[in-house]
Amino acid sequence: MVHGLNHITITTSNIDRSMKFYCEILGFKPHVKWEGGAYLTAGNDWVCLSIDTVAPAGDYSHIAFSISQPDLEALKVVAKDRGIEEWKENGSEGDSLYILDPDGHKVELHVGSLQSRLESLRVKPYKNMIWC
């Protein structure tokens, strides 16, 4: 059975531009780069950048990465200074910054965890929420 997340692959039209965004702005660690892709890590999470035709989701689908509050505050300034587009304002538990990567993929930088979210739902549950 599945026991965890292995890696996330993000399609890009330009490896160098995406590596600059994910490594220089978001702080991912680069490991290898080749003509058609790159492997990076965010903490212990493996991210693959892969050259292909880009077609970002038009729905709410997005990738959320954990970040500390001080790092998020610094990133908010960098994102504003660099004109990085925000796609949503935070309205849920834990501070978040919702931005678009260079190919238009939706990325969330989130302060919090599943545990903090569940604790907040005990106080203010979603409409018709059922605990499993």
Side-chain angles (χ1 to χ4, degrees), residues 10-126:
I10 301 170
T11 301
T12 181
S13 60
N14 183 307
I15 291 293
D16 291 330
R17 183 182 65 189
S18 289
M19 284 190 73
K20 187 173 204 166
F21 176 81
Y22 285 99
C23 296
E24 293 179 18
I25 296 174
L26 299 187
F28 288 28
K29 179 181 177 184
H31 293 276
V32 296
K33 178 179 120 175
W34 64 96
E35 185 176 312
Y39 290 151
L40 320 170
T41 51
N44 293 321
D45 297 322
W46 172 18
V47 176
C48 172
L49 299 176
S50 184
I51 290 283
D52 202 351
T53 302
V54 177
D59 58 16
Y60 186 66
S61 297
H62 64 281
I63 302 167
F65 295 101
S66 295
I67 191 168
S68 70
Q69 188 68 54
D71 287 343
L72 181 63
E73 295 307 320
L75 183 58
K76 287 178 180 180
V77 172
V78 170
K80 185 176 181 179
D81 289 347
R82 295 193 183 204
I84 296 172
E85 186 177 347
E86 289 188 50
W87 62 273
K88 180 182 185 305
E89 287 189 29
N90 188 39
S92 60
E93 171 275 330
D95 199 2
S96 287
L97 176 63
Y98 297 85
I99 56 177
L100 296 179
D101 83 354
D103 287 294
H105 298 293
K106 295 174 182 169
V107 175
E108 175 185 1
L109 293 307
H110 180 71
V111 177
S113 65
L114 174 59
Q115 190 60 39
S116 63
R117 179 64 50 91
L118 294 175
E119 289 170 11
S120 75
L121 292 174
R122 292 194 187 285
V123 175
K124 187 177 179 185
Y126 297 143

